[in-house]
Amino acid sequence: MSRITIVGGGLVGGLLAIFLAKRGHTVHVYERRPDPRKTDVYAGRSINLVVSHRGWTALRAAGVEAAVKEITVPVYARMMHDREGKLNRVPYSIDNKAIHSVSRGELNRRLLSEAEKLANVKLFFDHRCLDVDLEHATCRFELDGKEAVEVKADVVFGADGAFSAVRSKMAWGRFTYSQEYIEHDYKEVAFPAHPDGTPKMDPQCLHIWPRRWFMMMGLANQDGGFTGTLFMPHNATAQSPGFDSVRTPEQVQAFCREHFHDALPIVPDIVEQYLRNPQSSLVIIRCSPWQVNGRVALIGDAAHAIVPFYGEGMNAGYEDCKVLNDLLNTFGDDNWAEVLHRYAAARKPNGDAIADLSLRNFVEMRDLVADPRFLLRKKIEGHIQARHPDKWLPLYSQVKFSDIAYKDAWNEGLRHDRIMEEVLSMPDIGEMWESEEVERKALALLESMSG
Amino acid sequence: MSRITIVGGGLVGGLLAIFLAKRGHTVHVYERRPDPRKTDVYAGRSINLVVSHRGWTALRAAGVEAAVKEITVPVYARMMHDREGKLNRVPYSIDNKAIHSVSRGELNRRLLSEAEKLANVKLFFDHRCLDVDLEHATCRFELDGKEAVEVKADVVFGADGAFSAVRSKMAWGRFTYSQEYIEHDYKEVAFPAHPDGTPKMDPQCLHIWPRRWFMMMGLANQDGGFTGTLFMPHNATAQSPGFDSVRTPEQVQAFCREHFHDALPIVPDIVEQYLRNPQSSLVIIRCSPWQVNGRVALIGDAAHAIVPFYGEGMNAGYEDCKVLNDLLNTFGDDNWAEVLHRYAAARKPNGDAIADLSLRNFVEMRDLVADPRFLLRKKIEGHIQARHPDKWLPLYSQVKFSDIAYKDAWNEGLRHDRIMEEVLSMPDIGEMWESEEVERKALALLESMSG
């Protein structure tokens, strides 16, 4: 059995520790921040998470599915709020499948407590990674700004997020790397519950205020409140306001009134929150290779940070853990060079694909969900899926409700796009979308594009 | 007038110092390496450079054209060497235009000496940049491994190359950045002159041994020798040898015999050189923004490192300097915020375009130049250009012999590709390429695609 250093005790580091410790390895987790069970480390800058199929598959394999399920709220549909406050509910699947909303802090605390129950896991907080010796799998950490400890291990995992210190030490030699900030930043807005703890909106929906160039969304917490997030361009354009043009109390008030009218009674202090909460940026990280020498590997956001619009960042990281665990089952626990090589080869293309998928879903969420043509497409796809579940699984379901590799889902999604473009251009499609003719056409196109 | 710190005393830092000092600014240049006039800092890992139109335009504007011309060798054509040693000479233009080969070390030494003639330029060598305060334009440097000096300035330029220390300090906030290592590495091979100093190959050609997946090239030096460069994949594939598969003396000998047969008598110690010289990698760097606060800006490779296959890296950097100088002419020498903002906005799209163009030219050099269809295309384009010089300027000429913005050249080149694809598919094109029909077709297509 091996000595493992995990740098980063966040969502992925916590689950990875559980997987590896249950296999018998000795696992030491070093986290830069304080223990989140003692301090609220995410205050005011969190986006709620959703656990979807891949996440559950991994949590189940690690034996912590039930412990996590307790703290989640099922979400069955998108609820769109238009400018007049009119609602439109669109289910995520035709068979009542749910994704599960969870607070980042809650989930992190729960996983760390589960990890700590295992005798061969040790957690160290307030330890910042200073250096990683890639050849000897040795890390140096500092505690309270002073050099604290040098840790030798057999294998080091960098589970330390988008701004990974471990990754920065891999950035020598021929390390291909990109960080891309998207134009949109975000701000958290907390939606309170009624005084008696009942929610003010349907908690089993993801609420979206799509405004084409920007949007707000809200995901339920267990306390009846919602964590809301406003996504808006950093700089205003001719088409859109930006965080730089909505700054004074008057501007914020006018902005909220115009665009989020129906949210005002639900979040009476929305203006104060906007002015108080920090504005955070969103980055996409891609890199290669993900492992060096069979001794140091990246996992989760450290390897593939993505934008949050598919709610798959954490699920992708959990799938990394699950794939790694499966490879250890196949190739043994003392064959790290082989396992890490295969892990990186298997996961890198999927990391790239979910990055692309997530950007695509941003357009869908902020713009298309308000487009009647897009909603018609959803109906047609649902209809075909219901009649031919073996042939047609919409892209969203492939990503959120299946184990289909992200890269295969991406390719299939592009094929669906081309087919649906032709279907939507059929005359009178608005009236005849449930007809056999439409169905035949879609399936014939699918057949002709297969392989 | 301003105090300017230039980090990096290489090819671009040297020219920039001359431009700014001649305007009256006080310019201090800090270079990490020793003075190249005292030590050969490029030994064994250089690729020869070519000065092309944009380079000359900038050198002329800075008043150093003549000083540089003295140390260059004009190059009028590509000379392709096939496996049997058969030669094929293809001129770069229809009107005998030349690019100019120059040794990196020679050019660097010459520019530094020209800069040092100016009273308001000071050069500091062996100074490594440790930190840059982006707000106050203050740099810290170390000398001999010890903290040496803190330098306050009005404006800092990072002219410190692909691995820019200045850029690394800009990588906070929303800094979009990518580094991409291509699969090919390179090795220098020195081609000696005859004992009497006469060259063993035509010095007025760029010599290429195109071998589809890899290639060798050679560019003349003034001493009658050539600086040769072998470009080959880092790792071998089913199609191609790689540096990892050509390692032992026996492997190198067999490899050179098979692929570079006619070079063996010219470079009798080619095997020893291959085994001795370092293997270097090639990286493409893209980033944004190029300037912060109107006080710190990137220039040359620090902003846009590209692969060397168009021979435009230095020329692009020199064009940066020229554009900056033009903006100072227009907006004045005390308006850095405006000037640097416009500089970055003007140059960033061109930096991206020349990066793409350079990758494209690699395929052309290592593969297409050995393709009869490609050579026919060159002939057709030359023919149309000769008859309609106002309408058709081949992409290569736009890049190497004009001031047309790289991004416009790139777009025009893509248009030419589409036109030539149709032209080359005309029946009997091999026989009728000089006919009026071909000419009419090409121009009609150009007309229909314009605008």
Side-chain angles (χ1 to χ4, degrees):
Chain A
M1 290 294 116
S2 308
R3 294 165 305 166
I4 313 276
T5 298
I6 298 178
V7 181
L11 299 170
V12 170
L15 184 64
L16 180 62
I18 294 169
F19 265 119
L20 296 177
K22 287 192 172 175
R23 304 189 68 85
H25 298 292
T26 302
V27 181
H28 288 190
V29 179
Y30 290 85
E31 165 60 40
R32 188 172 54 81
R33 287 174 291 199
D35 190 335
R37 295 165 297 183
K38 297 176 183 160
T39 322
D40 184 0
V41 297
Y42 301 112
R45 51 166 71 237
S46 180
I47 306 171
N48 259 30
L49 302 167
V50 292
V51 187
S52 63
H53 180 81
R54 290 161 216 268
W56 290 123
T57 302
L59 291 163
R60 191 176 316 122
V64 292
E65 183 183 20
V68 172
K69 200 144 236 169
E70 283 174 18
I71 55 169
T72 65
V73 177
V75 174
Y76 297 93
R78 289 169 171 166
M79 183 75 87
M80 268 81 80
H81 297 237
D82 77 6
R83 275 199 181 71
E84 281 71 49
K86 221 171 63 203
L87 301 181
N88 185 13
R89 184 182 185 277
V90 181
Y92 278 128
S93 76
I94 58 165
D95 47 0
N96 209 32
K97 286 204 174 71
I99 55 178
H100 288 77
S101 172
V102 66
S103 121
R104 173 182 286 267
E106 280 280 304
L107 179 57
N108 195 2
R109 290 189 281 274
R110 180 62 60 112
L111 281 178
L112 291 176
S113 296
E114 289 295 318
E116 225 168 25
K117 287 181 191 166
L118 304 166
N120 48 343
V121 171
K122 273 202 188 137
L123 308 178
F124 302 86
F125 296 96
D126 302 297
H127 276 71
R128 190 166 77 88
C129 180
L130 297 176
D131 203 5
V132 182
D133 179 333
L134 300 176
E135 207 174 324
H136 302 101
T138 299
C139 299
R140 286 194 303 122
F141 297 95
E142 71 170 18
L143 176 63
D144 298 332
K146 283 191 284 282
E147 185 114 353
V149 60
E150 188 175 277
V151 181
K152 287 184 200 299
D154 299 308
V155 178
V156 174
F157 284 96
D160 50 345
F163 300 99
S164 170
V166 176
R167 190 184 62 227
S168 74
K169 300 304 164 187
M170 292 170 68
W172 298 104
R174 299 167 75 248
F175 190 72
T176 285
Y177 170 77
S178 80
Q179 59 182 45
E180 178 194 349
Y181 284 87
I182 67 165
E183 180 52 25
H184 287 68
D185 285 351
Y186 72 91
K187 241 182 218 288
E188 183 187 308
V189 179
F191 286 52
H194 284 299
D196 66 355
T198 56
K200 293 181 177 178
M201 304 188 294
D202 181 347
Q204 300 197 332
C205 292
L206 180 142
H207 294 261
I208 314 183
W209 290 257
R211 297 297 179 261
R212 188 142 192 218
W213 306 107
F214 58 98
M215 71 173 192
M216 185 165 69
M217 53 166 269
L219 268 169
N221 293 313
Q222 280 199 314
D223 64 3
F226 287 74
T227 298
T229 318
L230 169 65
F231 297 94
M232 188 156 70
H234 192 77
N235 295 312
T237 63
Q239 289 85 35
S240 175
F243 278 112
D244 66 337
S245 70
V246 182
R247 300 176 66 177
T248 66
E250 295 71 31
Q251 287 167 340
V252 178
Q253 192 131 44
F255 170 76
C256 291
R257 262 201 206 129
E258 179 179 352
H259 298 293
F260 309 122
H261 194 71
D262 69 330
L264 297 185
I266 305 175
V267 197
D269 65 341
I270 191 167
V271 174
E272 290 73 22
Q273 286 199 53
Y274 181 104
L275 294 168
R276 185 177 66 231
N277 283 344
Q279 174 183 337
S280 302
S281 55
L282 294 167
V283 69
I284 302 164
I285 307 269
R286 300 173 198 256
C287 64
S288 174
W290 283 12
Q291 66 94 25
V292 181
N293 303 326
R295 302 209 65 177
V296 179
L298 302 175
I299 193 161
D301 281 5
H304 50 76
I306 62 179
V307 291
F309 305 109
Y310 232 123
E312 278 294 289
M314 175 188 66
N315 294 291
Y318 283 1
E319 197 173 53
D320 292 344
C321 296
K322 167 72 163 59
V323 166
L324 181 76
N325 193 57
D326 291 346
L327 288 165
L328 289 166
N329 284 338
T330 307
F331 295 96
D333 283 273
D334 50 2
N335 201 357
W336 285 102
E338 180 77 20
V339 165
L340 293 184
H341 172 76
R342 285 176 182 267
Y343 155 77
R347 296 304 292 164
K348 164 71 179 158
N350 289 308
D352 287 339
I354 191 61
D356 293 335
L357 283 162
S358 300
L359 264 180
R360 175 195 162 109
N361 218 46
F362 186 26
V363 179
E364 189 164 320
M365 283 182 86
R366 71 173 199 246
D367 182 6
L368 295 181
V369 289
D371 178 346
R373 209 174 137 83
F374 174 79
L375 296 172
L376 175 60
R377 173 177 165 174
K378 286 261 164 193
K379 283 200 293 188
I380 298 172
E381 286 198 69
H383 179 69
I384 300 174
Q385 181 194 1
R387 312 232 326 155
H388 303 276
D390 54 322
K391 292 191 179 153
W392 195 282
L393 188 61
L395 177 58
Y396 187 90
S397 292
Q398 294 191 40
V399 172
K400 302 299 281 188
F401 302 128
S402 92
D403 293 313
I404 294 167
Y406 289 129
K407 69 173 192 301
D408 297 334
W410 175 238
N411 289 332
E412 183 76 358
L414 294 176
R415 194 148 56 216
H416 287 180
D417 284 351
R418 292 198 300 274
I419 293 169
M420 281 297 136
E421 199 169 311
E422 294 209 27
V423 166
L424 287 167
S425 69
M426 292 169 79
D428 301 319
I429 183 69
E431 286 75 52
M432 58 175 281
W433 63 271
E434 282 181 298
S435 70
E436 271 198 39
E437 191 188 338
V438 168
E439 189 182 317
R440 265 200 313 274
K441 170 139 187 161
L443 292 178
L445 286 166
L446 186 66
E447 186 81 16
S448 75
M449 286 184 194
S450 287
Chain B
M1 289 297 115
S2 309
R3 293 165 307 166
I4 313 276
T5 298
I6 298 177
V7 182
L11 300 169
V12 170
L15 184 64
L16 180 63
I18 295 169
F19 265 119
L20 295 177
K22 287 192 172 174
R23 305 188 68 85
H25 298 292
T26 303
V27 181
H28 289 190
V29 179
Y30 290 85
E31 165 60 40
R32 187 172 54 81
R33 286 173 293 199
D35 190 336
R37 294 165 298 182
K38 297 176 183 160
T39 321
D40 184 359
V41 296
Y42 301 113
R45 52 166 70 237
S46 180
I47 305 172
N48 259 31
L49 301 168
V50 292
V51 187
S52 63
H53 181 81
R54 291 163 214 268
W56 290 121
T57 303
L59 291 164
R60 192 177 315 123
V64 293
E65 183 183 20
V68 172
K69 200 143 237 171
E70 282 174 19
I71 55 169
T72 65
V73 177
V75 175
Y76 296 92
R78 288 168 172 167
M79 183 75 87
M80 268 82 81
H81 298 237
D82 77 6
R83 274 197 181 72
E84 281 71 47
K86 222 171 64 200
L87 300 180
N88 186 11
R89 184 181 184 279
V90 180
Y92 277 128
S93 75
I94 59 164
D95 47 1
N96 209 32
K97 285 204 175 71
I99 54 178
H100 287 78
S101 173
V102 66
S103 121
R104 174 181 286 267
E106 280 281 303
L107 179 57
N108 195 3
R109 291 189 279 274
R110 182 62 60 109
L111 282 178
L112 291 176
S113 295
E114 289 294 317
E116 224 169 25
K117 288 182 191 166
L118 303 167
N120 47 345
V121 171
K122 273 200 188 141
L123 308 178
F124 302 86
F125 296 96
D126 302 298
H127 277 71
R128 190 165 76 89
C129 180
L130 296 176
D131 202 5
V132 182
D133 178 332
L134 300 176
E135 207 173 325
H136 302 101
T138 300
C139 299
R140 286 195 303 121
F141 297 96
E142 71 170 19
L143 176 64
D144 298 333
K146 283 190 283 282
E147 185 114 353
V149 60
E150 187 175 278
V151 182
K152 287 184 200 298
D154 300 307
V155 178
V156 173
F157 284 96
D160 50 345
F163 301 98
S164 171
V166 177
R167 188 183 63 228
S168 73
K169 300 304 164 188
M170 293 171 68
W172 297 104
R174 299 167 76 249
F175 190 72
T176 284
Y177 170 78
S178 78
Q179 60 182 43
E180 178 193 350
Y181 285 86
I182 67 166
E183 179 51 24
H184 287 68
D185 285 352
Y186 73 91
K187 240 181 218 289
E188 183 187 307
V189 179
F191 285 53
H194 283 299
D196 66 355
T198 55
K200 294 181 175 179
M201 304 188 294
D202 181 347
Q204 299 198 331
C205 291
L206 180 143
H207 294 262
I208 314 182
W209 290 257
R211 297 296 179 262
R212 188 142 193 220
W213 306 107
F214 59 99
M215 72 173 189
M216 185 165 69
M217 52 166 269
L219 268 168
N221 294 312
Q222 281 200 314
D223 65 3
F226 286 73
T227 298
T229 318
L230 170 65
F231 298 94
M232 188 157 68
H234 191 79
N235 296 312
T237 62
Q239 290 84 36
S240 174
F243 279 111
D244 67 337
S245 70
V246 182
R247 301 176 67 176
T248 66
E250 295 70 33
Q251 287 167 340
V252 178
Q253 191 132 44
F255 170 75
C256 292
R257 262 201 208 132
E258 180 180 352
H259 298 293
F260 309 121
H261 193 72
D262 69 331
L264 297 184
I266 306 174
V267 198
D269 65 340
I270 192 167
V271 173
E272 290 73 24
Q273 285 198 55
Y274 181 105
L275 294 168
R276 186 178 64 231
N277 283 343
Q279 174 183 338
S280 303
S281 54
L282 294 167
V283 69
I284 302 163
I285 306 271
R286 300 173 198 255
C287 65
S288 174
W290 283 12
Q291 66 95 24
V292 181
N293 302 327
R295 302 208 66 177
V296 179
L298 302 175
I299 193 162
D301 282 5
H304 51 76
I306 61 179
V307 291
F309 305 109
Y310 231 123
E312 277 295 290
M314 175 187 67
N315 294 291
Y318 283 3
E319 197 173 55
D320 292 344
C321 296
K322 166 74 163 57
V323 166
L324 182 75
N325 193 55
D326 292 345
L327 289 166
L328 289 166
N329 285 338
T330 307
F331 296 97
D333 284 274
D334 50 1
N335 200 358
W336 286 103
E338 180 77 20
V339 165
L340 293 185
H341 173 76
R342 285 177 181 266
Y343 155 77
R347 296 303 293 163
K348 164 70 180 161
N350 289 309
D352 287 339
I354 192 59
D356 292 336
L357 283 162
S358 301
L359 264 180
R360 174 194 162 109
N361 218 46
F362 186 26
V363 179
E364 190 165 320
M365 283 181 86
R366 71 173 199 245
D367 182 7
L368 295 181
V369 290
D371 178 345
R373 208 175 138 86
F374 175 79
L375 296 172
L376 175 59
R377 173 177 165 174
K378 286 261 164 193
K379 284 200 294 188
I380 297 172
E381 286 197 68
H383 179 69
I384 300 174
Q385 182 195 0
R387 313 231 328 156
H388 303 276
D390 53 322
K391 292 191 179 153
W392 195 283
L393 188 61
L395 177 58
Y396 188 89
S397 292
Q398 294 191 38
V399 173
K400 301 299 280 186
F401 302 128
S402 92
D403 293 313
I404 294 166
Y406 290 129
K407 68 173 192 298
D408 297 335
W410 176 238
N411 289 331
E412 183 76 358
L414 294 176
R415 193 147 56 216
H416 287 179
D417 285 350
R418 292 198 299 274
I419 294 167
M420 281 298 136
E421 198 170 311
E422 294 209 28
V423 166
L424 286 167
S425 69
M426 291 169 79
D428 302 320
I429 183 69
E431 287 74 52
M432 58 176 283
W433 64 271
E434 283 181 297
S435 70
E436 272 198 38
E437 191 188 337
V438 168
E439 190 181 317
R440 265 201 313 275
K441 170 138 188 163
L443 292 177
L445 287 166
L446 187 66
E447 186 81 17
S448 74
M449 286 184 194
S450 287

